[in-house]
Amino acid sequence: MNLLSIFNKRTSAPVARDRLQILLAHERSYSGQSDLVTALREEILAVIAKHVNVDRDKVLVKMDRGDAVSTLEVDIEIPTPTKPKLAASA
Amino acid sequence: MAKVLVVTSGKGGVGKTTSTAALGAALAQNGSNVVVIDFDVGLRNLDLVMGAERRVVYDLINVVQGDAKLAQALIRDKRLENLSLLPASQTRDKDALTEDGVARVIEELREKFDWIICDSPAGIERGATLAMRHADMAVVVTNPEVSSVRDSDRIIGLLDSKTARAESGERMPKHLLLTRYDQGRAERGEMLKVDDVLEILSIPLLGIIPESEEVLRASNVGSPVTINSPTSAPARAYAEAARRLAGEDIAVTVPSEKKGFFGKLFGRRAAA
């Protein structure tokens, strides 16, 4: 046990308070919109599918709810179009 | 072969979620692929205890209803890459969880993981019976306290009658996890002893988790106690319980905190 770990141990309650404040702020503001992420994903996918083929199983949605901002990360794998011929690209 | 384990108790507040997180992490720390599932629809907390509450996008009901693929809903632990979480829905109606839907999800998880740990909600209603429905074995979390022991007895009855295993005539292996145990008070006759609880419930003992400050500290910071403070008494007790679950034969002891000179002095005086 070092000094840092003693310090950390003393401060677990403020960590708990901060985590709860962030979580509850999000839960209160989004109550009634539980499917917001699903709706966003569908609409984003629809826009992209207009232009390229998208495999719906190759879509990853990640969320990170922060204090000031949250990030929504939508990772869509777009298949590479048929490879251009070497002669053409040269 | 994959094992489906339900962590249940009947009574609330005895440590089901804490124990699910700690046992899941301990099994993963030993190299198994582990998924922990929260069955407490509307009152989820396993995400918070695991420190993944900011990353929840999809939940068990989304997967059951086909809104999301299983792989999209699983949240990989940031500390242990072979530990995943499948959260409960916080907003949906719990009737959205169907028995067939849960069966499908569990079957799919059996392909990918060594351990599937189902964190049951308190009570004996639908959520609790669904959590135990497809289990191969059960951990009954009990405090050395009269109402908890009574409710555990009730849950043991349900495990022997309402599970798929029981209905097909097979035995449901059940293990007792005694939590918040204070050896000093038990020795002074102020608290039920391990043997008292074992005699009343008559199921084998998986482990004794001593009452400890480390448990609250771990949940404050959102990290299973076996990760947050691996050498602490409760973490060692959970780690040993996890090894027993995996089939090792280790004698059950009550791990104690390593005390300094003054701790020993006062600890002894309190126990005298």
Side-chain angles (χ1 to χ4, degrees):
Chain A
M1 187 186 289
N2 57 28
L3 277 176
L4 191 67
S5 74
I6 293 170
F7 179 74
N8 281 339
K9 282 185 172 186
R10 292 236 169 102
T11 57
S12 76
V15 177
R17 191 195 58 217
D18 291 349
R19 292 174 63 221
L20 278 170
Q21 278 174 343
I22 295 171
L23 175 68
L24 294 182
H26 283 277
E27 286 196 346
R28 287 170 184 153
S29 64
Y30 289 120
S31 63
Q33 313 179 43
S34 61
D35 289 337
L36 178 68
V37 175
T38 310
L40 285 173
R41 181 190 64 171
E42 290 308 312
E43 289 179 28
I44 292 168
L45 271 181
V47 170
I48 292 170
K50 271 190 204 169
H51 304 281
V52 288
N53 283 326
V54 177
D55 181 350
R56 300 186 60 87
D57 292 350
K58 305 243 165 104
V59 178
L60 269 181
V61 184
K62 284 187 186 170
M63 188 80 172
D64 190 357
R65 295 173 184 81
D67 193 359
V69 288
S70 297
T71 58
L72 176 70
E73 186 184 319
V74 184
D75 190 332
I76 303 170
E77 195 176 305
I78 296 171
T80 314
T82 42
K83 281 180 191 163
K85 283 173 191 160
L86 279 174
S89 63
Chain B
M1 212 182 78
K3 283 265 184 199
V4 180
L5 170 76
V6 61
V7 178
T8 188
S9 69
K11 190 175 184 301
V14 297
K16 284 181 295 299
T17 301
T18 303
S19 297
T20 300
L23 288 174
L27 286 164
Q29 283 165 314
N30 288 341
S32 297
N33 274 322
V34 182
V35 61
V36 290
I37 315 179
D38 193 343
F39 273 84
D40 204 344
V41 176
L43 289 172
R44 74 172 172 220
N45 272 321
L46 187 56
D47 57 331
L48 196 52
V49 170
M50 301 275 296
E53 75 279 1
R54 290 158 67 140
R55 298 195 289 141
V56 175
V57 181
Y58 298 115
D59 55 57
L60 177 58
I61 290 182
N62 289 136
V63 178
V64 165
Q65 297 195 328
D67 301 330
K69 299 276 178 198
L70 186 57
Q72 296 170 326
L74 289 172
I75 302 173
R76 177 86 58 93
D77 189 90
K78 285 196 166 170
R79 299 148 298 214
L80 293 170
E81 63 162 18
N82 52 337
L83 175 62
S84 295
L85 162 72
L86 184 54
S89 171
Q90 184 70 336
T91 49
R92 300 288 200 89
D93 190 72
K94 63 177 182 299
D95 294 334
L97 267 192
T98 60
E99 196 182 315
D100 287 348
V102 171
R104 277 201 312 276
V105 172
I106 300 259
E107 275 317 302
E108 206 179 331
L109 289 168
R110 277 182 192 271
E111 310 278 311
K112 299 183 178 175
F113 293 95
D114 304 315
W115 287 95
I116 297 145
I117 307 184
C118 305
D119 182 20
S120 172
I124 51 171
E125 303 299 322
R126 187 183 172 80
T129 50
L130 272 178
M132 68 169 68
R133 182 74 196 157
H134 305 283
D136 302 315
M137 58 202 294
V139 167
V140 179
V141 182
T142 307
N143 291 168
E145 183 268 325
V146 289
S147 57
S148 174
V149 176
R150 179 204 204 171
D151 291 0
S152 292
D153 189 64
R154 182 98 165 85
I155 277 292
I156 290 169
L158 293 180
L159 287 165
D160 285 333
S161 60
K162 300 281 186 192
T163 52
R165 223 181 148 84
E167 284 175 7
S168 68
E170 282 180 273
R171 199 180 63 87
M172 166 66 82
K174 298 169 291 289
H175 304 274
L176 179 72
L177 188 65
L178 198 60
T179 54
R180 309 199 69 164
Y181 190 71
D182 184 329
Q183 189 148 34
R185 297 193 73 185
E187 280 169 7
R188 291 195 299 278
E190 297 172 11
M191 182 183 265
L192 287 171
K193 288 187 177 177
V194 179
D195 289 342
D196 298 333
V197 181
L198 282 175
E199 190 191 327
I200 296 166
L201 295 178
S202 50
I203 58 171
L205 182 62
L206 179 69
I208 305 164
I209 314 299
E211 173 83 61
S212 165
E213 294 172 5
E214 291 296 336
V215 174
L216 177 60
R217 201 168 276 144
S219 82
N220 276 348
V221 300
S223 174
V225 72
T226 47
I227 298 178
N228 196 53
S229 180
T231 57
S232 67
R236 284 181 286 139
Y238 276 119
E240 286 185 6
R243 287 167 60 192
R244 282 182 207 108
L245 274 179
E248 280 187 57
D249 189 10
I250 318 167
V252 179
T253 56
V254 190
S256 56
E257 304 283 0
K258 287 184 190 112
K259 285 176 180 161
F261 174 72
F262 286 103
K264 276 183 185 154
L265 193 70
F266 288 115
R268 266 195 212 134
R269 197 174 279 175

